[in-house]
Amino acid sequence: MTRIQVVPATQDTHQGQRVIEVNDPDFNNGRYPSTNYVRTAKYTIWSFLPVSLFLQFLRLANVYFLMIAILQSIKEISPLQPFSAIAPLVFVLFLSILREGLEDYRRYRDDVTVNSSSVLVFQQGVQTFVSVPSKDLRVGELVKILDRQTFPADLVVLSCSDPEGKVYIETASLDGERNLKAREAPKETLHHFNN
């Protein structure tokens, strides 16, 4: 096994160290997140209605119209029908919650697509790279990234096909920049991992 120590530059070498065993899931289990599952959706089936209603009433305009609807429902102080204030409020809330639900459903579908995308992970038992869903990727596993493939997680470049160890990465999904950024594999690991 290969041991890699990750030490943040802002801390000294005795505090804040993270030790990762490459391709040793037993060592890394319990120390780091167990999966690479991505969830960007705000709601679950059970939390959608209460949370979205709560968020709607954080808007002052909706609270104002709720108060007007309540005051118009009291016959002693309002000559108007309660329906004339309640119906527009319910209509606006319904449209806002529907829009919020559709946006969250799109996020959920994108999460499913990202989590089910294939990643080539090295399996020691068969001594080859095996395709697994990206949600099952774990800390320390060796991952083979092909040309123009999206990175399934934060990765450290250990080796590449370039003899000098240079790779070019586009980070548009992180920072919006479409320029290629050059990264280099460490010389110690550059030739350690073969294709």
Side-chain angles (χ1 to χ4, degrees):
M1 298 298 148
T2 303
R3 179 169 281 179
I4 296 177
Q5 288 192 353
V6 181
V7 182
T10 58
Q11 298 187 6
D12 71 34
T13 57
H14 299 293
Q15 295 176 350
Q17 286 189 7
R18 289 183 281 168
V19 178
I20 299 169
E21 283 283 338
V22 175
N23 215 24
D24 186 1
D26 294 332
F27 179 83
N28 297 318
N29 271 350
R31 289 180 171 85
Y32 305 102
S34 59
T35 66
N36 190 43
Y37 183 78
V38 174
R39 182 172 181 263
T40 59
K42 262 198 227 182
Y43 309 107
T44 63
I45 291 175
W46 307 111
S47 70
F48 173 68
L49 194 59
V51 172
S52 61
L53 267 174
F54 173 75
L55 291 176
Q56 290 304 316
F57 285 109
L58 287 179
R59 297 181 181 149
L60 290 179
N62 289 340
V63 173
Y64 171 77
F65 285 111
L66 176 65
M67 292 299 171
I68 296 297
I70 290 171
L71 290 175
Q72 272 190 324
S73 298
I74 302 171
K75 295 200 184 281
E76 288 78 24
I77 61 172
S78 175
L80 302 173
Q81 293 293 324
F83 179 77
S84 63
I86 294 172
L89 176 65
V90 169
F91 180 71
V92 167
L93 289 176
F94 173 76
L95 287 181
S96 298
I97 290 172
L98 180 67
R99 178 190 53 109
E100 195 69 33
L102 290 174
E103 287 176 0
D104 201 56
Y105 180 70
R106 285 188 199 109
R107 283 192 290 267
Y108 166 76
R109 275 195 341 226
D110 292 343
D111 291 347
V112 169
T113 302
V114 167
N115 287 323
S116 62
S117 64
S118 293
V119 177
L120 293 174
V121 175
F122 187 76
Q123 297 288 318
Q124 274 197 312
V126 290
Q127 293 294 312
T128 187
F129 285 92
V130 178
S131 181
V132 298
S134 72
K135 69 179 179 179
D136 295 333
L137 186 63
R138 298 186 317 182
V139 171
E141 289 186 312
L142 288 176
V143 178
K144 184 176 188 176
I145 301 295
L146 304 175
D147 191 28
R148 307 223 182 268
Q149 184 180 359
T150 303
F151 279 35
D154 291 339
L155 301 176
V156 175
V157 178
L158 297 177
S159 182
C160 65
S161 59
D162 182 57
E164 295 178 15
K166 291 188 180 186
V167 295
Y168 298 93
I169 301 170
E170 180 183 292
T171 58
S173 62
L174 297 174
D175 58 13
E177 273 192 51
R178 299 204 69 83
N179 297 341
L180 295 177
K181 294 178 176 61
R183 300 288 185 258
E184 286 188 39
K187 292 182 184 3
E188 297 81 15
T189 61
L190 181 58
H191 300 293
H192 184 72
F193 301 98
N194 297 330
N195 290 341

